Amino acid sequence: MFDLRRLLVLRVLAERGTVTAAAADLHVTPSAVSQQLRALTEEIGVPLLARTGRTVELTPAAYALLAHADDLGARWEAARADIAARGNALTGILRVCGVSSAVAALLLPVAARLRESHPGIAVHVGELESEECFRQLLAARADIALTLPAAHTPPAGDPRYEQRVLFEDVQDLLVPRGHPLAERAEVTLADARTEAWIAKPAHNDSYDLLVAACAAAGFTPHITHHVKEWFAVSAAVAFGFGVCLLPRLVPIPAEHPVVRVPLQGSVRPVRTIIAGIRRGSGEHPLIAIGMHTLEAVAAELAAAT
């Protein structure tokens, strides 16, 4: 009998590159991953892994199997959704994850609404960067993910996922109170080309968006302090250490003397928030009600901004 769980292990290994990393995503031990892969090799009847020194590489047979794995995975998700839809009660655990600002503005309101409208659903919320969100989806550790398109996220046509645009989050320039740009009703991004910028390059989806926007405006940002968490970024701006791009979804702390200045001109940075699920899982009752509620919250936010 072919075991789809072992195929999932192979898919995660192909995504992560090492047995240790795959084990971390799957929340099992490396030895358990190796055992599953050995069993899968026996089921298939041909070698799937080749050892090169202290690492392993996928064989041509493994890549051939992976070419079918996306369709098999989607059909299994659709089967699970069909079976679940025949139940009488809407109960279970819905696991959602996303980038920090999407968690605060979208996922937590969704969890609160579902708590009131469907008390049988337990929503688990996790805060992760976009790349990690997709890894959690693939490993079946999350059901819905809110992400930002970035250099290391899957392309829109990736056959493992269904991705849809959920919300367009405009970004403004955040400057200290008293800054020359703070007195203007609007500025262009190029007006801040000589400013010091606050951004953390590593493990930060917003960094890629900042660099891309500045490049489109004709300059490379001079990043002076590596700060990521939005409250800390706002504090750094308030103390005069630089400026930053601040999404509309992120509120300004009342205690920080900063000014949010709208950006105009040919380059107006916008964060596109993507809702991602595993392909084939969209008709599962829990995921369907989660996405429906999420889209309703996003529509209300869009109308209010």
Side-chain angles (χ1 to χ4, degrees):
M1 293 290 293
F2 189 76
D3 192 333
L4 285 175
R5 292 173 299 179
R6 293 167 183 162
L7 185 59
L8 172 61
V9 173
L10 181 66
R11 295 174 80 193
V12 174
L13 175 64
E15 171 71 16
R16 299 291 277 130
T18 69
V19 169
T20 300
D25 280 6
L26 293 164
H27 286 205
V28 298
T29 64
S31 61
V33 169
S34 297
Q35 182 180 10
Q36 292 288 332
L37 292 172
R38 284 195 297 270
L40 181 60
T41 297
E42 293 176 2
E43 289 177 338
I44 299 300
V46 294
L48 298 175
L49 301 177
R51 181 163 294 280
T52 57
R54 301 180 63 182
T55 63
V56 294
E57 293 183 354
L58 272 62
T59 65
Y63 284 110
L65 178 58
L66 286 169
H68 299 282
D70 296 329
D71 286 336
L72 289 171
R75 291 175 65 183
W76 172 240
E77 291 290 346
R80 290 181 65 241
D82 181 51
I83 294 168
R86 298 173 189 271
N88 295 322
L90 196 56
T91 61
I93 300 175
L94 178 65
R95 299 158 301 177
V96 298
C97 62
V99 296
S100 61
S101 53
V103 166
L106 293 162
L107 291 183
L108 291 174
V110 165
R113 291 192 187 189
L114 290 177
R115 182 177 57 193
E116 296 297 322
S117 62
H118 297 82
I121 300 177
V123 181
H124 179 270
V125 179
E127 178 191 338
L128 299 166
E129 292 297 309
S130 295
E131 184 179 9
E132 178 63 18
C133 283
F134 279 106
R135 293 206 299 260
Q136 291 292 291
L137 281 181
L138 180 63
R141 304 291 303 180
D143 303 307
I144 300 173
L146 295 191
T147 69
L148 304 173
H152 301 293
T153 57
D158 191 305
R160 297 171 296 178
Y161 310 104
E162 296 174 23
Q163 302 182 54
R164 65 188 75 169
V165 174
L166 183 69
F167 189 81
E168 296 286 354
D169 189 15
V170 176
Q171 297 193 84
D172 302 311
L173 184 69
L174 193 69
V175 300
R177 190 178 300 164
H179 190 283
L181 296 179
E183 306 302 321
R184 295 168 55 176
E186 59 186 41
V187 298
T188 68
L189 188 57
D191 289 330
R193 62 188 179 278
T194 61
E195 300 290 334
W197 287 81
I198 310 296
K200 182 182 179 182
H203 307 295
N204 182 12
D205 296 330
S206 296
Y207 175 77
D208 289 341
L209 301 179
L210 168 65
V211 172
C214 292
F219 69 97
T220 300
H222 175 49
I223 297 173
T224 55
H225 296 282
H226 295 178
V227 183
K228 173 184 173 183
E229 195 275 325
W230 288 117
F231 186 88
V233 171
S234 177
V237 173
F239 280 109
F241 289 111
V243 303
C244 75
L245 291 180
L246 187 72
R248 293 275 173 89
L249 282 184
V250 179
I252 296 176
E255 62 269 37
H256 291 171
V258 295
V259 177
R260 186 195 292 266
V261 186
L263 287 165
Q264 300 296 329
S266 59
V267 179
R268 300 181 64 188
V270 174
R271 302 193 317 166
T272 301
I273 296 180
I274 302 294
I277 60 176
R278 286 183 299 281
R279 184 161 67 96
S281 68
E283 297 303 316
H284 191 288
L286 291 180
I287 296 175
I289 191 64
M291 287 297 296
H292 176 76
T293 308
L294 187 56
E295 289 167 349
V297 171
E300 293 169 11
L301 271 178
T305 55

